Amino acid sequence: MRNLTVPISEAAIRELTVGEPVSLNGIIVTGRDTAHKYMIENFIKTHGAIPAAEQAVYEELQALLHDGVIYHCGPVVQQNNGIWSFVAAGPTTSIREEPYQADVIGHFGVRAVIGKGGMGSKTLQACQDHGAVYLHAIGGAAALIARSVKEVIAVHKMEFGVPEAFWVIRVEDFPAVVTMDSHGGSLHQQIKDQSAIRLAKLIKS
Amino acid sequence: MQDLTDAFVELIRRAATQLPADMEQALRKAQAREDPSSAAEGALNTIIRNVEMARQNSTPICQDTGTPIFEIHYPVGISTRKLADQIRRACAIATEHAYLRPNAVDSLTGKNSGDNSGIDYPTMHFNEWDEDGIKVELLLKGGGCENVSTQYKLPNTELGAGRDLEGVRRVVLDAVDKAQGLGCAPGVLGIAVGGDRGSSYVKSKQQLFRPLEDTNPEPQLAELEDRLLEEGNELGIGPMGFGGKTTLLGVKVGTLHRLPASYFVSVAYMCWANRRASMRVQGEEITYA
Ligand code: SF4
């Protein structure tokens, strides 16, 4: 098992290949559908003309996502005496972010995207171009992943609702597996191709 | 009849937070079978630790607590309307205690009812039996794996599947291949052969209540179950679709009579979080399993 600590260098990412289990440590940011759409519309399509109201969030995200990690997760959270904590924090299906992910990786210099189910060819290409990987978390392991979230540091765009907001969290020993690497490798494609061949064998004649 | 609401809350708590022993054992066996430090082994290790943690902390095993499906067996003279009311109330209380996530969404307005109440929600099937106690079984059926569940109409020329058990074998393997890791593999398959589209799907889910180690009393089906388990695993999809030796943990097949014109095969895919629990009411005494 390889340790990855945020901020992650491009060199560290280039060493990873598909199928490798990793343990992630450091500060990461959650973001799912609304968050990705928001980043595209306000930061990427505007070509540097960031709306004044969004400038502060933009600067925060720039600092967090450069050599950083974005996690496709809509957490269940709890607030005690003003302090947030994660109760359940399993991954959500990533393919919904396929239209946006490549641009977000390129714009911010994201090094890893965590989710489940894998992503498509556009994201795979961005991983090669910019030195990034897709990390597959374990679907259903909500209790364990919530336990690896040691601290909720901040939350941005709470008006999107709890599952859709950007949660800035510090994780320790977050378990995941590299399923898309920065060399064009996709474990999802490999496994699919291999199982198709085996299926054909099992049902031929 | 006594009010069973609290007993139903406890039944829900057990289902949501304690993976059945046969499932946990199967996961441990699978972990031992995978190559050390492979992605498959790592995934199973994470799953098992998660299961232990959920049991210890009495928190849901998975954040998607699924559709609650109740199978109720009751003696003559019991009011099923009262039982249904108590089950609905128990679901709301269990949601308050966070054993269940609010999962019932109005299909027209998109609004979440917030307490797992809704139109035909939760699912309840009442079966009168000739014993004098009540038995209630509960399955929490996840959404991710429900999305990869499927139904075939035989014959299927593409797969060379005719209207016989060989045809059933072919389409079921196709379903496992199509699902890849998306149903949170390793999974358990409930399969129904026959019926109409609706009854076939219901029967396929009912197969999921069977313990993993039971043997189908019908020898042909027992053989098919074993073979599908073995061949499903040969596909190499593995836990979470990471590749590996464990794609399935169990296969259970049941049949229904059908019209001469139709031959349906329904495949209910259940994720590794195969959360089932049962409860018996005998006089004043309530026991859980
Ligand atoms: S498929 Fe099962 S384990 Fe996976 S997220 Fe859904 S309920 Fe949880």
Side-chain angles (χ1 to χ4, degrees):
Chain A
M1 168 110 52
R2 200 189 284 253
N3 272 304
L4 280 183
T5 303
V6 187
I8 309 171
S9 67
E10 175 164 2
I13 290 295
R14 296 282 180 196
E15 277 178 30
L16 299 171
T17 51
V18 294
E20 209 171 330
V22 299
S23 173
L24 186 71
N25 292 279
I27 295 169
I28 68 172
V29 191
T30 71
R32 44 186 283 171
D33 310 54
T34 316
H36 278 78
K37 198 158 171 279
Y38 162 83
M39 288 189 282
I40 296 291
E41 283 170 3
N42 289 279
F43 309 147
I44 295 169
K45 277 197 184 147
T46 51
H47 302 292
I50 312 293
E54 308 305 333
Q55 186 66 34
V57 176
Y58 181 59
E59 283 168 17
E60 292 279 350
L61 288 175
Q62 263 186 320
L64 289 162
L65 293 179
H66 186 76
D67 290 341
V69 178
I70 193 155
Y71 178 24
H72 299 155
C73 167
V76 179
V77 300
Q78 193 177 291
Q79 196 176 29
N80 272 332
N81 303 323
I83 297 169
W84 292 103
S85 61
F86 274 31
V87 179
T92 187
T93 302
S94 296
I95 196 70
R96 294 192 308 266
E97 314 321 331
E98 180 63 12
Y100 317 119
Q101 201 65 66
D103 289 335
V104 169
I105 290 172
H107 184 87
F108 287 100
V110 173
R111 292 283 174 225
V113 175
I114 315 175
K116 74 167 173 176
M119 300 191 72
S121 54
K122 213 175 140 201
T123 303
L124 189 60
Q125 187 61 48
C127 288
Q128 278 176 273
D129 294 347
H130 304 286
V133 289
Y134 178 82
L135 301 176
H136 199 300
I138 309 303
L144 183 124
I145 296 175
R147 189 62 83 81
S148 79
V149 177
K150 295 298 169 194
E151 191 188 347
V152 176
I153 293 169
V155 54
H156 301 297
K157 305 305 283 182
M158 194 56 155
E159 62 265 37
F160 295 165
V162 165
E164 301 284 343
F166 293 99
W167 292 90
V168 183
I169 53 177
R170 186 171 61 78
V171 299
E172 254 175 52
D173 301 326
F174 184 116
V177 172
V178 181
T179 59
M180 292 162 65
D181 64 25
S182 63
H183 313 289
S186 162
L187 187 63
H188 306 284
Q189 198 55 49
Q190 284 176 20
I191 300 295
K192 218 174 177 173
D193 293 347
Q194 169 197 309
S195 78
I197 293 168
R198 293 184 180 171
L199 175 69
K201 249 193 221 146
L202 287 169
I203 67 175
K204 77 155 186 264
S205 80
Chain B
M1 188 189 79
Q2 74 259 50
D3 186 324
L4 293 172
T5 307
D6 290 346
F8 289 135
V9 175
E10 175 60 9
L11 179 70
I12 296 167
R13 187 190 70 81
R14 284 174 182 255
T17 66
Q18 305 179 355
L19 197 69
D22 59 339
M23 284 302 298
E24 191 168 341
Q25 206 188 349
L27 286 167
R28 286 183 198 279
K29 273 198 198 144
Q31 188 195 14
R33 208 164 41 221
E34 297 291 351
D35 295 334
S37 74
S38 62
E41 201 262 353
L44 289 165
N45 183 33
T46 301
I47 287 170
I48 291 166
R49 281 195 294 143
N50 182 71
V51 166
E52 288 168 352
M53 211 175 259
R55 175 175 288 120
Q56 260 165 32
N57 303 341
S58 194
T59 54
I61 295 164
C62 177
Q63 64 196 358
D64 178 6
T65 54
T67 306
I69 301 174
F70 292 89
E71 292 287 336
I72 304 112
H73 305 270
Y74 65 97
V76 186
I78 290 280
S79 161
T80 58
R81 192 170 40 83
K82 271 191 196 149
L83 281 177
D85 283 347
Q86 292 168 9
I87 286 175
R88 280 197 207 94
R89 200 138 30 91
C91 284
I93 296 170
T95 313
E96 254 170 58
H97 292 325
Y99 302 142
L100 295 180
R101 176 175 84 174
N103 250 2
V105 176
D106 186 311
S107 296
L108 272 184
T109 64
K111 193 170 175 286
N112 193 316
S113 69
D115 63 357
N116 280 301
S117 65
I119 303 171
D120 285 334
Y121 197 104
T123 302
M124 289 180 259
H125 299 131
F126 287 95
N127 316 280
E128 186 182 301
W129 66 357
D130 56 12
E131 298 192 28
D132 56 5
I134 301 173
K135 181 178 169 190
V136 181
E137 294 177 293
L138 169 60
L139 177 76
L140 299 176
K141 179 71 179 71
C145 54
E146 188 68 5
N147 287 341
V148 297
S149 294
T150 185
Q151 192 172 63
Y152 293 84
K153 179 172 62 104
L154 267 49
N156 179 313
T157 31
E158 198 192 319
L159 296 166
R163 295 179 151 197
D164 51 22
L165 292 187
E166 169 59 15
V168 173
R169 183 185 72 87
R170 287 171 182 242
V171 296
V172 171
L173 289 173
D174 182 63
V176 177
D177 178 56
K178 289 222 170 77
Q180 292 289 305
L182 297 176
C184 287
V188 176
L189 302 183
I191 296 160
V193 180
D196 65 19
R197 287 190 183 273
S199 61
S200 185
Y201 262 132
V202 170
K203 183 91 175 190
S204 69
K205 283 213 180 70
Q206 285 167 343
Q207 297 303 307
L208 298 171
F209 285 101
R210 289 171 50 194
L212 287 184
E213 64 272 19
D214 76 350
T215 306
N216 199 310
E218 169 57 61
Q220 286 186 73
L221 295 181
E223 196 189 316
L224 180 65
E225 290 176 356
D226 290 346
R227 184 165 176 198
L228 280 171
L229 179 60
E230 201 181 303
E231 294 184 343
N233 285 330
E234 277 173 34
L235 293 176
I237 293 162
M240 290 296 130
F242 293 164
K245 301 181 180 121
T246 320
T247 304
L248 298 176
L249 296 172
V251 179
K252 302 292 168 189
V253 187
T255 61
L256 310 82
H257 277 62
R258 58 179 176 83
L259 289 187
S262 325
Y263 195 112
F264 294 111
V265 180
S266 302
V267 183
Y269 196 113
M270 184 71 200
C271 53
W272 62 259
N274 184 12
R275 290 151 293 179
R276 46 174 153 71
S278 86
M279 151 189 153
R280 250 346 278 209
V281 186
Q282 207 69 46
E284 292 290 295
E285 203 195 347
I286 299 170
T287 48
Y288 299 91

Short mmCIF file of all heavy atoms in Angstrom, two decimals, chain A residues 27-56:
data_model
loop_
_atom_site.label_atom_id
_atom_site.label_comp_id
_atom_site.label_asym_id
_atom_site.label_seq_id
_atom_site.Cartn_x
_atom_site.Cartn_y
_atom_site.Cartn_z
N ILE A 27 -5.25 17.36 3.38
CA ILE A 27 -6.48 18.15 3.24
C ILE A 27 -7.03 18.00 1.82
O ILE A 27 -6.32 18.23 0.84
CB ILE A 27 -6.21 19.62 3.59
CG1 ILE A 27 -5.82 19.70 5.08
CG2 ILE A 27 -7.43 20.49 3.31
CD1 ILE A 27 -5.28 21.03 5.51
N ILE A 28 -8.29 17.59 1.73
CA ILE A 28 -8.95 17.41 0.43
C ILE A 28 -10.29 18.15 0.43
O ILE A 28 -10.74 18.63 1.49
CB ILE A 28 -9.14 15.92 0.09
CG1 ILE A 28 -10.17 15.25 1.02
CG2 ILE A 28 -7.81 15.16 0.18
CD1 ILE A 28 -10.55 13.83 0.59
N VAL A 29 -10.91 18.23 -0.74
CA VAL A 29 -12.18 18.97 -0.86
C VAL A 29 -13.23 18.08 -1.52
O VAL A 29 -12.94 17.41 -2.51
CB VAL A 29 -12.00 20.22 -1.77
CG1 VAL A 29 -13.22 21.12 -1.69
CG2 VAL A 29 -10.75 20.98 -1.42
N THR A 30 -14.44 18.07 -0.97
CA THR A 30 -15.52 17.35 -1.63
C THR A 30 -16.17 18.24 -2.68
O THR A 30 -16.16 19.47 -2.56
CB THR A 30 -16.64 16.90 -0.67
OG1 THR A 30 -17.37 18.06 -0.24
CG2 THR A 30 -16.09 16.18 0.55
N GLY A 31 -16.70 17.62 -3.71
CA GLY A 31 -17.43 18.37 -4.73
C GLY A 31 -18.17 17.40 -5.60
O GLY A 31 -17.59 16.39 -6.01
N ARG A 32 -19.45 17.66 -5.82
CA ARG A 32 -20.17 16.79 -6.76
C ARG A 32 -20.88 17.63 -7.80
O ARG A 32 -20.27 18.60 -8.25
CB ARG A 32 -21.05 15.78 -6.02
CG ARG A 32 -21.85 16.34 -4.86
CD ARG A 32 -22.57 15.24 -4.12
NE ARG A 32 -23.74 14.81 -4.87
CZ ARG A 32 -24.44 13.73 -4.53
NH1 ARG A 32 -24.09 12.99 -3.51
NH2 ARG A 32 -25.52 13.41 -5.21
N ASP A 33 -22.08 17.28 -8.19
CA ASP A 33 -22.69 17.87 -9.39
C ASP A 33 -22.73 19.40 -9.40
O ASP A 33 -22.21 20.04 -10.31
CB ASP A 33 -24.09 17.30 -9.57
CG ASP A 33 -24.09 15.78 -9.50
OD1 ASP A 33 -23.59 15.23 -8.49
OD2 ASP A 33 -24.57 15.14 -10.43
N THR A 34 -23.35 19.98 -8.38
CA THR A 34 -23.51 21.43 -8.36
C THR A 34 -22.15 22.13 -8.30
O THR A 34 -21.92 23.14 -8.96
CB THR A 34 -24.37 21.87 -7.15
OG1 THR A 34 -25.49 20.99 -7.05
CG2 THR A 34 -24.86 23.28 -7.29
N ALA A 35 -21.26 21.57 -7.50
CA ALA A 35 -19.92 22.17 -7.35
C ALA A 35 -19.16 22.20 -8.67
O ALA A 35 -18.54 23.20 -9.02
CB ALA A 35 -19.14 21.38 -6.30
N HIS A 36 -19.26 21.10 -9.42
CA HIS A 36 -18.52 21.05 -10.69
C HIS A 36 -19.11 22.04 -11.71
O HIS A 36 -18.38 22.72 -12.41
CB HIS A 36 -18.51 19.62 -11.24
CG HIS A 36 -17.44 18.78 -10.61
ND1 HIS A 36 -17.57 18.24 -9.35
CD2 HIS A 36 -16.19 18.44 -11.03
CE1 HIS A 36 -16.45 17.58 -9.05
NE2 HIS A 36 -15.61 17.69 -10.04
N LYS A 37 -20.43 22.09 -11.75
CA LYS A 37 -21.09 23.00 -12.67
C LYS A 37 -20.71 24.45 -12.32
O LYS A 37 -20.42 25.26 -13.18
CB LYS A 37 -22.60 22.79 -12.56
CG LYS A 37 -23.39 23.33 -13.69
CD LYS A 37 -24.75 22.64 -13.78
CE LYS A 37 -25.64 23.33 -14.79
NZ LYS A 37 -26.30 24.55 -14.29
N TYR A 38 -20.70 24.73 -11.03
CA TYR A 38 -20.36 26.06 -10.53
C TYR A 38 -18.93 26.45 -10.93
O TYR A 38 -18.68 27.57 -11.39
CB TYR A 38 -20.53 26.06 -9.00
CG TYR A 38 -19.84 27.18 -8.26
CD1 TYR A 38 -20.43 28.44 -8.14
CD2 TYR A 38 -18.60 26.96 -7.65
CE1 TYR A 38 -19.79 29.46 -7.44
CE2 TYR A 38 -17.97 27.96 -6.94
CZ TYR A 38 -18.55 29.21 -6.85
OH TYR A 38 -17.91 30.20 -6.15
N MET A 39 -17.99 25.55 -10.78
CA MET A 39 -16.60 25.86 -11.12
C MET A 39 -16.46 26.16 -12.60
O MET A 39 -15.76 27.09 -13.00
CB MET A 39 -15.68 24.70 -10.72
CG MET A 39 -15.49 24.60 -9.22
SD MET A 39 -14.21 23.40 -8.75
CE MET A 39 -15.07 21.86 -8.94
N ILE A 40 -17.15 25.36 -13.42
CA ILE A 40 -17.07 25.58 -14.87
C ILE A 40 -17.66 26.95 -15.22
O ILE A 40 -17.03 27.75 -15.92
CB ILE A 40 -17.86 24.47 -15.61
CG1 ILE A 40 -17.21 23.10 -15.38
CG2 ILE A 40 -17.99 24.79 -17.10
CD1 ILE A 40 -15.88 22.89 -16.03
N GLU A 41 -18.85 27.23 -14.70
CA GLU A 41 -19.54 28.45 -15.10
C GLU A 41 -18.86 29.72 -14.59
O GLU A 41 -18.81 30.72 -15.30
CB GLU A 41 -21.00 28.40 -14.65
CG GLU A 41 -21.80 27.50 -15.56
CD GLU A 41 -23.19 27.19 -15.08
OE1 GLU A 41 -23.60 27.73 -14.02
OE2 GLU A 41 -23.88 26.41 -15.76
N ASN A 42 -18.34 29.67 -13.37
CA ASN A 42 -17.80 30.89 -12.78
C ASN A 42 -16.31 31.09 -13.00
O ASN A 42 -15.83 32.22 -13.06
CB ASN A 42 -18.09 30.92 -11.28
CG ASN A 42 -19.56 31.14 -10.99
OD1 ASN A 42 -20.03 32.26 -11.03
ND2 ASN A 42 -20.28 30.05 -10.76
N PHE A 43 -15.56 30.01 -13.08
CA PHE A 43 -14.09 30.15 -13.12
C PHE A 43 -13.49 29.79 -14.47
O PHE A 43 -12.50 30.37 -14.88
CB PHE A 43 -13.43 29.26 -12.05
CG PHE A 43 -14.01 29.42 -10.67
CD1 PHE A 43 -14.08 28.33 -9.81
CD2 PHE A 43 -14.49 30.65 -10.23
CE1 PHE A 43 -14.60 28.48 -8.54
CE2 PHE A 43 -15.01 30.80 -8.96
CZ PHE A 43 -15.09 29.71 -8.10
N ILE A 44 -14.07 28.83 -15.13
CA ILE A 44 -13.41 28.30 -16.32
C ILE A 44 -13.95 28.95 -17.59
O ILE A 44 -13.20 29.45 -18.41
CB ILE A 44 -13.49 26.76 -16.33
CG1 ILE A 44 -12.67 26.24 -15.13
CG2 ILE A 44 -12.96 26.19 -17.65
CD1 ILE A 44 -12.82 24.79 -14.80
N LYS A 45 -15.28 29.04 -17.70
CA LYS A 45 -15.86 29.68 -18.89
C LYS A 45 -15.63 31.18 -18.92
O LYS A 45 -15.72 31.80 -19.96
CB LYS A 45 -17.37 29.40 -18.94
CG LYS A 45 -17.69 28.04 -19.54
CD LYS A 45 -19.16 27.99 -19.96
CE LYS A 45 -19.53 26.62 -20.48
NZ LYS A 45 -20.93 26.28 -20.15
N THR A 46 -15.34 31.77 -17.74
CA THR A 46 -15.19 33.23 -17.68
C THR A 46 -13.79 33.68 -18.07
O THR A 46 -13.52 34.87 -18.12
CB THR A 46 -15.49 33.74 -16.26
OG1 THR A 46 -14.72 32.95 -15.34
CG2 THR A 46 -16.95 33.59 -15.89
N HIS A 47 -12.89 32.75 -18.31
CA HIS A 47 -11.52 33.06 -18.73
C HIS A 47 -10.86 34.14 -17.89
O HIS A 47 -10.38 35.14 -18.41
CB HIS A 47 -11.49 33.48 -20.21
CG HIS A 47 -12.05 32.43 -21.11
ND1 HIS A 47 -11.42 31.22 -21.33
CD2 HIS A 47 -13.22 32.38 -21.81
CE1 HIS A 47 -12.16 30.48 -22.15
NE2 HIS A 47 -13.26 31.15 -22.44
N GLY A 48 -10.84 33.95 -16.62
CA GLY A 48 -10.11 34.88 -15.75
C GLY A 48 -10.96 36.02 -15.21
O GLY A 48 -10.58 36.67 -14.24
N ALA A 49 -12.12 36.28 -15.84
CA ALA A 49 -13.00 37.34 -15.33
C ALA A 49 -13.90 36.75 -14.25
O ALA A 49 -15.08 36.50 -14.47
CB ALA A 49 -13.82 37.94 -16.46
N ILE A 50 -13.33 36.49 -13.08
CA ILE A 50 -14.08 35.84 -12.00
C ILE A 50 -15.09 36.83 -11.42
O ILE A 50 -14.72 37.96 -11.09
CB ILE A 50 -13.11 35.39 -10.87
CG1 ILE A 50 -11.90 34.65 -11.43
CG2 ILE A 50 -13.85 34.59 -9.80
CD1 ILE A 50 -12.17 33.31 -12.04
N PRO A 51 -16.36 36.44 -11.30
CA PRO A 51 -17.33 37.35 -10.67
C PRO A 51 -16.84 37.77 -9.29
O PRO A 51 -16.33 36.92 -8.54
CB PRO A 51 -18.60 36.50 -10.55
CG PRO A 51 -18.40 35.35 -11.50
CD PRO A 51 -16.93 35.15 -11.66
N ALA A 52 -16.98 39.05 -8.99
CA ALA A 52 -16.42 39.59 -7.74
C ALA A 52 -16.91 38.82 -6.52
O ALA A 52 -16.14 38.52 -5.60
CB ALA A 52 -16.80 41.07 -7.61
N ALA A 53 -18.20 38.44 -6.54
CA ALA A 53 -18.77 37.74 -5.39
C ALA A 53 -18.14 36.37 -5.17
O ALA A 53 -18.19 35.82 -4.07
CB ALA A 53 -20.28 37.59 -5.58
N GLU A 54 -17.54 35.81 -6.23
CA GLU A 54 -16.98 34.46 -6.12
C GLU A 54 -15.47 34.46 -5.96
O GLU A 54 -14.85 33.41 -5.86
CB GLU A 54 -17.37 33.64 -7.37
CG GLU A 54 -18.85 33.64 -7.71
CD GLU A 54 -19.74 33.16 -6.56
OE1 GLU A 54 -19.26 32.37 -5.72
OE2 GLU A 54 -20.90 33.61 -6.48
N GLN A 55 -14.88 35.67 -5.95
CA GLN A 55 -13.42 35.77 -5.92
C GLN A 55 -12.81 35.06 -4.69
O GLN A 55 -11.83 34.33 -4.81
CB GLN A 55 -13.02 37.27 -5.91
CG GLN A 55 -11.53 37.53 -6.02
CD GLN A 55 -10.93 37.08 -7.36
OE1 GLN A 55 -11.59 37.15 -8.40
NE2 GLN A 55 -9.69 36.60 -7.34
N ALA A 56 -13.42 35.26 -3.53
CA ALA A 56 -12.85 34.69 -2.30
C ALA A 56 -12.86 33.15 -2.36
O ALA A 56 -11.85 32.51 -2.04
CB ALA A 56 -13.63 35.19 -1.09
#
